[in-house]
Amino acid sequence: CALLTAQRLCQKIASAPFPLEQHTPVQVTISIGITPLLPNVPSHERVVIADAALYQAKHEGRNQARLLP
């Protein structure tokens, strides 16, 4: 569910021009890294895993979301 929501967010942001003051709007994209909230995994490890998922998304072409367990 989180991955699907993140993918929809990527699409929504990419489809809407980002207005800049007194300039032509620009297209903005995002990449998202996700990891599940498992009770036996410390929060600092979850951050490291989510960061790895983010870099995987960027490496694979950006404007996407990746989930790493």
Side-chain angles (χ1 to χ4, degrees):
C1 185
L3 181 58
L4 181 58
T5 300
Q7 289 170 334
R8 288 180 182 160
L9 183 60
C10 288
Q11 292 171 354
K12 184 75 171 174
I13 289 174
S15 69
F18 187 78
L20 299 174
E21 288 185 27
Q22 302 177 7
H23 295 283
T24 304
V26 296
Q27 182 181 9
V28 176
T29 62
I30 62 170
S31 298
I32 302 173
I34 304 168
T35 190
L37 293 176
L38 301 174
N40 59 339
V41 178
S43 60
H44 68 278
E45 286 184 31
R46 289 192 302 256
V47 170
V48 169
I49 295 168
D51 189 53
L54 170 63
Y55 280 97
Q56 180 181 359
K58 288 181 176 187
H59 178 72
E60 292 178 3
R62 302 187 180 206
N63 194 37
Q64 51 190 299
R66 288 292 172 262
L67 170 69
L68 291 180

